Amino acid sequence: MPSLPQERVIQGPSPLDLNTELPYQSTMKRKVRKKKKKGTITANVAGTKFEIVRLVIDEMGFMKTPDEDETSNLIWCDSAVQQEKIAELQNYQRINHFPGMGEICRKDFLARNMTKMIKSRPLDYTFVPRTWIFPAEYTQFQNYMKELKKKRKQKTFIVKPANGAMGHGISLIRNGDKLPSQDHLIVQEYIEKPFLMEGYKFDLRIYILVTSCDPLKIFLYHDGLVRMGTEKYIPPNETNLTQLYMHLTNYSVNKHNEHFERDETENKGSKRSIRWFTEFLQANQHDVAKFWSDISELVVKTLIVAEPHVLHAYRMCRPGQPPGSESVCFEVLGFDILLDRKLKPWLLEINRAPSFGTDQKIDYDVKRGVLLNALKLLNIRTSDKRRNLAKQKAEAQRRLYGQNSIKRLLPGSSDSEQQRHQLERRKEELKERLAQVRKQISKEEHENRHMGNYRRIYPPEDKTLLEKYENLLAVAFQTFLSGRAASFQREMNNPLKRMKEEDILDLLEQCEIDDEKLMGKTAKSRGPKPLSSMPESTEITKRQKYYSSDSSYGSSSSSSESEENEKEEYQNKKREKQVTYNLKQSNHYRLIQPSSSIRRSVSCPRSISSQSPSSADNHPFSAQQVISSSRSASGSRSHSLNRASSYMGHPPQRNDSSSTDSPMSESLRQLRPKEQEDDLTSQTLFVLKDMKIRFPGKSDAESLLLIEDMIDNWKYHKTKVASYWLIKLDSVKQRKVLDIVKTSVRTVLPRIWKVPDVEEVNLYRIFNRVFNRLLWSHGQGLWNCFCDSGSSWESIFSKSPEVVTPLQLQCCQRLVELCKQCLLVVYKYATDSRGSLSGIGTNWGNSRTEQGQQLQTRR
């Protein structure tokens, strides 16, 4: 197909030509002569004849290099490249073709591979017309024609050259006797009842971007071209078989017809946009969502056929590259798809070098978007070359000096040494996989932000659909690489391949524990470290108030008791504990709490934090003992966490001393029967369900309405909350937000379970694991709870030998729900305050106040 400058000579100047092409060409020539600047992304476009590619390169800010420069970050060629060239590329370079993609881009190869997959999975590959490859299948075709004659049926067939393009050599036949038996041809059944538009037959040019084959990543561009025939369609008969302008939709064929209409608008003419076509379908009551779903499935299943060939060829070109490493190849493919009258898509052919000619404005608009969005998705950076050179240097030094993270196992090593060696290898494998997973997460985050008009269709978000595609992929490897598929099959079945970051971290932790056991060391507790992100103030600590049973905020301690408690508090600070308990003879817990004067940050508003109520009876209680009542809040304090019922209220006190903390009671706690533990877990669940998040200055009902309103308008708030939580807040500030819930839960559990130290409660250790998972990957764990993968935190229990009961799981689910609500309230508070003069400022985190940090209780 001629490029834009050639077409301009024939057609005369157009507004597009004058305003965009000519001025740009003169600028381009000046830029080529410029000296290459340090830190500039370079592109070699000597291999393309399409001006739109150069336009997009300049729009991206890349610098075009001389033709002989082979060190450019980006290399663009119109034709397929040799495998030797791909093998010579550095890791920082990108080239726009994959090796092995010809297995689906040549008509005869596509037919051969599809026939093999149809034999294996006939129900999944019903979108390819029946096809015969000449001369190998000439006899089968003639036998098929004889069967049709016996049944007195007549069909039309379309004949194409095996490696043809642009509509050359295509013809329609109804009698196969005259077909040459030795020519390399493709013969297909003709689809006689296509979907018509204004009486014309048409096909769709769908643009697909493949950014990686290891792992496979496919993006579909949600626009394209509708290419129409130039004569009204009539079903084929003996008289119109030679009227190619009626039966063929190739632009290269129809543009020569005098009836071909060139129009600058997208809803008229012989070439239109798919965006307009989807609006046309919607206006005529067709299911547009199903249309795109069928197209996506066709594309993915077709590329699954290509994946074994492409992956094998790519690894042959790039030996030694670990799976999941940065791909040096990408490819923009053009799928030609025909719709029948039921809107079922049929695959006609695939172009690995689709034309980027811009004869019309619609070509320019669509193809510019395809190229521009593709280059943005690739994420080519100026630092890639520097990092690659540094990595090569470090690798060379490692080989030179024999540095290896794993020492070789000497002959005659003991069993423990062999076990340790296996553990070291296992840890290295896990660390490597962890790095790959984190890199993959980073890639996906970039893709989600820069997808433009592309949509990721593989891997899909639907887990059921993903499982279906993975099964097809396994069949494809077995079908096409039967002798070499064992290694690929083992790799696909590797359990690490499907593990997420938190699962790998759990396995690494278990390896550390096993290693310590082999070394004879006492295994360290693997729970989360107590948080020290909220430093205490010494002055306020000395004035710490202790709360009695009569008032949640009253002082009832003697000076001698205060001195003892201050000493105890000092020791606890050394152990980095935030909350401890001291059991009194009056059968009440007395709370010794760190100072409420803290250094806060913008992530944790001063009036949204957690402090527990001070006193409660030591007597165990159940849901029947909870008396719902209300208590007015202190005027000098604002509250965020609130429970509607007073589970912290005082049941009738006992006069005996059985509730004092003694060695006897401690041993009884350790021997607590399962029934009692289940009962206490039920009480904890009741208390957690009773907790509510309160917005500062609002009542319970108003706070609840505020949260519900944000959930109802989630489409509006989603991106803003994501930006606040995942981008604006660092890990310390994210932890402070969850501390609001964590500190409150830490206050409640010892009262329910009758223990002086919350660390003794197994349920609290489970809670700690949940809190850790909510903070993994810079807060991604909690954010997943707002998305479809909201139950991903539950996977931490599947890899643990510890059994989690259904009641404990319900407690964890409620805990996660409280954390979600807490994030929404913190975000809303920070947003509202930012817009008002009385709101928090940039330095408000350094202020000291006794407000906030409070869990309100009611009687």
Side-chain angles (χ1 to χ4, degrees):
M1 184 181 296
S3 63
L4 181 58
Q6 294 171 339
E7 289 296 323
R8 182 169 61 249
V9 175
I10 297 173
Q11 300 171 17
S14 65
L16 175 64
D17 299 330
L18 293 176
N19 294 335
T20 59
E21 302 277 345
L22 292 177
Y24 181 82
Q25 290 176 356
S26 61
T27 305
M28 177 195 68
K29 291 178 182 177
R30 288 196 300 271
K31 286 188 177 180
V32 169
R33 288 193 290 269
K34 282 184 179 180
K35 193 174 181 180
K36 185 164 64 175
K37 297 179 181 178
K38 185 178 180 181
T40 303
I41 299 175
T42 56
N44 187 331
V45 291
T48 181
K49 65 180 179 180
F50 299 114
E51 192 63 27
I52 188 68
V53 177
R54 295 181 174 85
L55 286 170
V56 171
I57 290 297
D58 271 341
E59 190 171 347
M60 288 290 295
F62 298 172
M63 176 177 286
K64 294 186 286 293
T65 59
D67 298 354
E68 64 276 6
D69 188 354
E70 296 293 336
T71 64
S72 302
N73 297 80
L74 174 66
I75 300 174
W76 191 283
C77 302
D78 291 340
S79 58
V81 295
Q82 297 295 323
Q83 294 191 10
E84 291 79 8
K85 186 171 185 177
I86 296 175
E88 293 170 357
L89 294 176
Q90 298 294 324
N91 289 338
Y92 69 88
Q93 294 183 281
R94 301 288 181 273
I95 194 165
N96 67 317
H97 290 291
F98 276 100
M101 195 62 80
E103 291 291 333
I104 60 171
C105 293
R106 271 187 56 137
K107 295 181 178 67
D108 52 347
F109 292 177
L110 175 65
R112 181 188 63 199
N113 290 323
M114 283 295 183
T115 300
K116 290 182 180 180
M117 280 301 288
I118 289 171
K119 288 180 180 178
S120 301
R121 301 297 289 265
L123 298 179
D124 289 307
Y125 286 84
T126 60
F127 51 83
V128 182
R130 189 167 184 176
T131 309
W132 294 265
I133 306 172
F134 281 26
E137 297 177 350
Y138 177 81
T139 305
Q140 290 92 319
F141 175 73
Q142 294 299 337
N143 292 337
Y144 181 72
M145 294 296 294
K146 291 177 183 178
E147 292 178 5
L148 290 178
K149 287 181 181 179
K150 289 180 182 179
K151 298 177 181 177
R152 296 183 179 181
K153 291 183 178 180
Q154 194 169 24
K155 288 188 176 182
T156 305
F157 301 90
I158 185 168
V159 182
K160 308 175 185 179
N163 195 26
M166 301 175 67
H168 296 310
I170 298 179
S171 61
L172 269 65
I173 63 168
R174 306 195 86 182
N175 185 359
D177 297 336
K178 297 180 181 180
L179 281 176
S181 61
Q182 298 303 316
D183 288 359
H184 291 274
L185 302 172
I186 295 297
V187 181
Q188 282 184 329
E189 287 187 352
Y190 184 77
I191 300 173
E192 299 185 3
K193 297 178 180 179
F195 188 87
L196 302 180
M197 193 162 52
E198 301 175 7
Y200 294 96
K201 182 182 176 181
F202 67 92
D203 74 350
L204 306 176
R205 166 59 61 88
I206 304 290
Y207 291 99
I208 301 299
L209 172 65
V210 182
T211 59
S212 169
C213 67
D214 188 12
L216 181 61
K217 276 196 175 182
I218 309 171
F219 298 86
L220 182 147
Y221 192 71
H222 263 228
D223 201 356
L225 297 173
V226 180
R227 307 177 302 181
M228 303 175 66
T230 48
E231 291 184 10
K232 296 279 187 177
Y233 180 78
I234 299 174
N237 54 54
E238 296 295 342
T239 62
N240 67 8
L241 289 179
T242 58
Q243 297 181 18
L244 298 184
Y245 295 138
M246 176 189 299
H247 297 293
L248 300 186
T249 55
N250 304 66
Y251 166 72
S252 55
V253 173
N254 282 280
K255 70 177 182 178
H256 298 296
N257 189 2
E258 60 182 3
H259 299 298
F260 184 85
E261 298 180 14
R262 298 180 184 273
D263 200 290
E264 295 300 320
T265 59
E266 63 178 9
N267 59 347
K268 293 180 181 179
S270 299
K271 189 185 288 187
R272 307 180 187 183
S273 71
I274 291 181
R275 181 177 59 181
W276 170 85
F277 178 67
T278 54
E279 294 173 357
F280 169 83
L281 291 178
Q282 196 166 10
N284 288 274
Q285 309 301 318
H286 294 291
D287 191 345
V288 176
K290 186 178 185 303
F291 162 77
W292 280 118
S293 175
D294 292 343
I295 294 290
S296 301
E297 190 169 340
L298 180 150
V299 170
V300 172
K301 288 180 177 179
T302 303
L303 286 169
I304 281 175
V305 172
E307 172 67 0
H309 307 283
V310 173
L311 182 59
H312 178 67
Y314 182 80
R315 289 191 176 177
M316 292 290 288
C317 294
R318 312 289 297 175
Q321 293 292 325
S325 59
E326 201 74 48
S327 173
V328 300
C329 298
F330 70 97
E331 193 140 17
V332 178
L333 301 170
F335 276 65
D336 292 343
I337 294 173
L338 180 73
L339 301 177
D340 65 16
R341 63 178 181 177
K342 296 181 179 179
L343 281 182
K344 176 186 175 181
W346 294 84
L347 178 63
L348 300 181
E349 64 181 22
I350 303 164
N351 298 274
R352 71 180 311 176
S355 170
F356 286 106
T358 51
D359 299 346
Q360 298 175 231
K361 184 178 183 301
I362 190 171
D363 288 314
Y364 178 85
D365 292 339
V366 172
K367 295 173 183 178
R368 173 185 170 275
V370 169
L371 294 171
L372 190 62
N373 285 255
L375 292 182
K376 288 180 180 178
L377 267 175
L378 291 180
N379 193 23
I380 302 175
R381 295 159 296 186
T382 56
S383 59
D384 290 342
K385 185 174 183 178
R386 184 176 65 254
R387 290 177 181 176
N388 178 67
L389 294 176
K391 187 176 180 181
Q392 286 181 344
K393 184 177 179 181
E395 184 67 20
Q397 288 181 346
R398 188 186 67 81
R399 290 196 302 267
L400 179 63
Y401 297 112
Q403 297 171 350
N404 199 338
S405 57
I406 303 177
K407 296 181 180 179
R408 290 186 178 182
L409 192 64
L410 300 175
S413 301
S414 63
D415 292 342
S416 61
E417 289 177 340
Q418 292 179 7
Q419 292 176 4
R420 286 203 64 205
H421 185 265
Q422 292 176 356
L423 273 176
E424 288 296 324
R425 296 188 62 179
R426 177 65 169 169
K427 282 194 287 186
E428 286 298 319
E429 182 185 7
L430 289 171
K431 288 176 182 177
E432 182 180 339
R433 180 57 189 163
L434 182 62
Q436 292 174 8
V437 168
R438 287 174 172 170
K439 194 172 184 180
Q440 197 64 31
I441 291 173
S442 177
K443 282 184 185 178
E444 290 179 0
E445 289 174 354
H446 172 84
E447 291 166 356
N448 292 336
R449 292 194 302 268
H450 299 87
M451 213 171 292
N453 211 17
Y454 279 100
R455 298 294 179 269
R456 187 190 296 110
I457 58 176
Y458 188 89
E461 294 182 358
D462 187 344
K463 293 183 179 179
T464 305
L465 189 59
L466 177 60
E467 185 177 355
K468 175 183 176 181
Y469 287 156
E470 286 180 341
N471 290 336
L472 286 176
L473 203 54
V475 172
F477 275 105
Q478 191 63 36
T479 302
F480 298 111
L481 299 177
S482 55
R484 297 163 290 175
S487 60
F488 289 108
Q489 201 71 31
R490 285 194 300 270
E491 186 179 316
M492 291 181 64
N493 294 332
N494 187 351
L496 290 180
K497 193 177 182 69
R498 294 178 176 82
M499 283 188 180
K500 296 183 179 179
E501 183 178 8
E502 63 268 30
D503 302 324
I504 299 174
L505 288 172
D506 281 344
L507 290 177
L508 276 171
E509 183 179 334
Q510 188 61 44
C511 286
E512 294 288 347
I513 295 173
D514 294 341
D515 194 16
E516 288 173 356
K517 289 180 179 178
L518 287 173
M519 293 288 290
K521 297 179 181 178
T522 304
K524 299 178 183 178
S525 60
R526 295 289 170 177
K529 294 181 180 179
L531 302 177
S532 57
S533 59
M534 295 185 179
E536 301 168 354
S537 169
T538 308
E539 295 179 5
I540 303 293
T541 303
K542 292 179 180 180
R543 301 197 307 267
Q544 179 71 39
K545 294 184 179 181
Y546 302 95
Y547 308 120
S548 67
S549 61
D550 298 329
S551 171
S552 296
Y553 308 102
S555 174
S556 62
S557 303
S558 65
S559 59
S560 60
E561 292 171 338
S562 297
E563 291 175 0
E564 293 174 3
N565 287 326
E566 284 175 9
K567 291 180 181 179
E568 182 181 347
E569 186 176 3
Y570 175 76
Q571 294 171 356
N572 288 335
K573 283 174 62 179
K574 283 189 174 181
R575 295 193 301 267
E576 292 187 322
K577 287 190 177 181
Q578 288 188 323
V579 181
T580 57
Y581 291 93
N582 180 24
L583 194 62
K584 296 283 292 176
Q585 294 295 329
S586 57
N587 300 332
H588 296 293
Y589 285 121
R590 184 172 64 197
L591 177 63
I592 305 174
Q593 179 141 2
S595 166
S596 59
S597 177
I598 57 175
R599 298 179 67 87
R600 298 177 177 84
S601 66
V602 81
S603 67
C604 185
R606 65 188 70 178
S607 55
I608 307 180
S609 44
S610 62
Q611 176 178 340
S612 292
S614 57
S615 58
D617 197 277
N618 190 34
H619 180 66
F621 61 91
S622 61
Q624 288 79 6
Q625 292 174 307
V626 177
I627 303 173
S628 180
S629 60
S630 61
R631 186 178 65 84
S632 60
S634 173
S636 62
R637 300 178 183 272
S638 57
H639 317 293
S640 63
L641 273 173
N642 171 48
R643 286 167 289 170
S645 302
S646 71
Y647 55 86
M648 300 298 291
H650 303 285
Q653 299 182 4
R654 299 186 193 177
N655 294 325
D656 57 19
S657 60
S658 61
S659 60
T660 57
D661 191 13
S662 63
M664 178 72 71
S665 62
E666 185 175 353
S667 62
L668 288 175
R669 280 197 303 272
Q670 294 174 355
L671 300 175
R672 184 180 289 124
K674 183 178 183 302
E675 292 78 8
Q676 185 180 358
E677 187 161 337
D678 289 344
D679 181 58
L680 294 174
T681 305
S682 299
Q683 294 179 29
T684 306
L685 178 60
F686 178 85
V687 169
L688 290 175
K689 287 183 176 180
D690 221 15
M691 288 184 181
K692 292 178 177 60
I693 306 293
R694 169 178 286 185
F695 191 93
K698 295 184 182 292
S699 64
D700 293 346
E702 290 172 336
S703 301
L704 182 60
L705 284 175
L706 185 143
I707 295 174
E708 290 177 350
D709 179 68
M710 293 184 68
I711 294 173
D712 292 341
N713 298 284
W714 184 236
K715 287 185 177 180
Y716 170 77
H717 291 289
K718 182 177 180 180
T719 55
K720 297 183 178 180
V721 177
S723 176
Y724 179 78
W725 175 248
L726 298 175
I727 300 174
K728 182 172 183 179
L729 305 188
D730 58 25
S731 58
V732 174
K733 296 174 183 177
Q734 288 175 343
R735 189 178 288 273
K736 286 183 179 181
V737 174
L738 296 194
D739 274 357
I740 298 170
V741 178
K742 184 174 183 178
T743 307
S744 304
V745 172
R746 188 183 176 97
T747 303
V748 171
L749 286 182
R751 303 172 186 273
I752 301 174
W753 292 76
K754 302 305 171 194
V755 291
D757 187 357
V758 70
E759 300 290 346
E760 296 180 19
V761 181
N762 179 50
L763 184 60
Y764 181 72
R765 292 195 291 270
I766 295 175
F767 285 172
N768 270 337
R769 296 186 66 191
V770 175
F771 280 119
N772 273 359
R773 290 306 173 260
L774 294 182
L775 290 169
W776 76 271
S777 187
H778 308 290
Q780 190 67 42
L782 178 59
W783 183 247
N784 286 345
C785 299
F786 290 93
C787 308
D788 295 335
S789 54
S791 60
S792 61
W793 60 269
E794 296 179 5
S795 62
I796 62 175
F797 301 122
S798 61
K799 306 297 179 184
S800 173
E802 183 181 4
V803 178
V804 179
T805 65
L807 276 175
Q808 291 172 336
L809 189 61
Q810 289 181 47
C811 290
C812 294
Q813 290 169 345
R814 177 55 185 167
L815 191 74
V816 171
E817 190 64 29
L818 285 172
C819 292
K820 289 169 61 178
Q821 294 177 8
C822 187
L823 170 58
L824 294 179
V825 171
V826 169
Y827 159 76
K828 184 65 174 173
Y829 183 88
T831 305
D832 292 351
S833 301
R834 196 181 306 123
S836 63
L837 293 175
S838 59
I840 54 179
T842 55
N843 299 322
W844 78 277
N846 296 328
S847 63
R848 298 173 180 268
T849 178
E850 292 185 3
Q851 293 182 350
Q853 286 247 327
Q854 175 166 292
L855 173 67
Q856 181 181 350
T857 60
R858 294 182 176 184
R859 287 184 178 179

